[in-house]
Amino acid sequence: MDRDAVLALYDRLIERHDGLARKGKATAYTAVNGNMFSFVGPDGELCLRLSQADIKSYGVEFSNDPVVRYNSVMNGYVAVPDALLEQEDLLANWFARSVEFAGTLKSKPTKKKN
């Protein structure tokens, strides 16, 4: 799936949750209380931040290999494969779990430019 199609799907997932908004340009992302929990990279790969228990459950059906960006492992994130991108309702369930998990994380202050 190309990046534009993934972004359209991403927007539909976000619309299911009140108060969420897509941020970013090159890397589109969502955040709750200053914690990013999902993103679509410049390459069109959608990644979700999940709890350790959900990562384990996710790994039963899909790969839960580490997500690497800028030569760093993004702990707690899983990449969404094309097979899941094609199952919007199932993906919406995983996205909702990501939203729920993000809500449990300690708030991070935003860094505003002066």
Side-chain angles (χ1 to χ4, degrees):
M1 191 177 284
D2 72 5
R3 186 170 193 269
D4 289 336
V6 173
L7 286 173
L9 172 60
Y10 191 51
D11 287 337
R12 290 193 302 274
L13 295 171
I14 293 168
E15 288 171 3
R16 294 178 185 222
H17 300 272
D18 292 335
L20 286 185
R22 184 174 84 169
K23 302 175 183 183
K25 293 181 182 173
T27 299
Y29 71 95
T30 55
V32 170
N33 297 327
N35 292 293
M36 182 175 76
F37 66 90
S38 70
F39 67 89
V40 177
D43 58 359
E45 182 177 50
L46 172 60
C47 297
L48 302 174
R49 187 174 187 180
L50 299 171
S51 68
Q52 289 302 312
D54 281 342
I55 289 172
K56 189 174 181 178
S57 296
Y58 184 88
V60 171
E61 193 168 349
F62 305 104
S63 171
N64 59 1
D65 293 337
V67 172
V68 178
R69 289 284 185 250
Y70 305 105
N71 297 320
S72 295
V73 173
M74 297 191 67
N75 291 318
Y77 284 85
V78 296
V80 176
D82 287 342
L84 182 53
L85 290 174
E86 295 168 4
Q87 300 177 59
E88 188 169 337
D89 288 337
L90 180 57
L91 177 56
N93 179 38
W94 285 108
F95 187 83
R97 289 182 184 198
S98 184
V99 172
E100 183 178 329
F101 176 64
T104 69
L105 299 173
K106 182 179 175 185
S107 295
K108 288 174 57 177
T110 59
K111 296 176 185 174
K112 295 193 179 205
K113 294 179 183 178
N114 293 332

